[in-house]
Amino acid sequence: MNRAFSRKKDKTWMHTPEALSKHYIPYNAKFLGSTEVEQPKGTEVVRDAVRKLKFARHIKKSEGQKIPKVELQISIYGVKILEPKTKEVQHNCQLHRISFCADDKTDKRIFTFICKDSESNKHLCYVFDSEKCAEEITLTIGQAFDLAYRKFLESGGKDVETRKQIAGLQKRIQDLETENMELKNKVQDLESQLRTTQVSTSPAGTGTPKSPSTDIFDMVPFSPVSHTSSTPTRNGTQPPPVPSRATEIKRDLFGAEPFDPFNCGAGDFPPDIQSKLEEMQRQRWRGSKWD
């Protein structure tokens, strides 16, 4: 391993100061992960961390898991670790919290740095795998440190304190946005559960009854089935049911309708009998008229 934090006067940097001060330098790499270390710096410290993460990654690879790819954005404010496609920030390692950075001279693809976590205050070692630019990334982080140190001297330390406050506020805003999103999801889940409960507990028949369809004259079609009105009268009692047609016709002992010779048709009897019936009907009509 090789220390990368060197501020020699004759050092030739790879990027312009404006690129690291006003913007950032992006790199693509594979992220082996991070692990807690006991010391904030040291060659043996990072070597043990690399061995541990390589072994863990080897086990995951045997299980079919691939090494995740990340994008590194290096500036005088720190090193951001992002998801390449969505640009979601996975880790934001502020520069003043990075205490050690090195690349592996025996394995040209591996580089690492140690950063103090802002919440737990633990020292975490981040390990990356880059095929061609491990040493270049280490030198770029070293140049960012050099420029940040110069700004610190020029501002008398005020610039660093301002960046710390800004970084703390940004972290607080990010936490509040995450908390707000979680609360919104919980509210939506509760509303969905409430609607489901109301539908399942509502009694049958509480829905709005459908009005019967009408004909072209806007009248309800006639139904042969007789329904008893459920509307109570003024004294609170139900009206008597309407008698059916069968109850209006009187029947004899054998269930047959009584014979009425005057309701029979003219062709039911012979002519002589029919003439006598007509005479009887005229006499019956006269008698009812004088009554």
Side-chain angles (χ1 to χ4, degrees), residues 178-190:
T178 303
E179 183 179 355
N180 188 30
M181 183 61 66
E182 292 177 353
L183 290 174
K184 285 183 178 180
N185 293 334
K186 289 181 179 179
V187 170
Q188 292 177 357
D189 292 340
L190 290 174

Side-chain angles (χ1 to χ4, degrees), residues 214-228:
T214 57
D215 57 13
I216 58 176
F217 300 103
D218 199 23
M219 298 181 66
V220 178
F222 171 75
S223 176
V225 181
S226 177
H227 296 279
T228 304

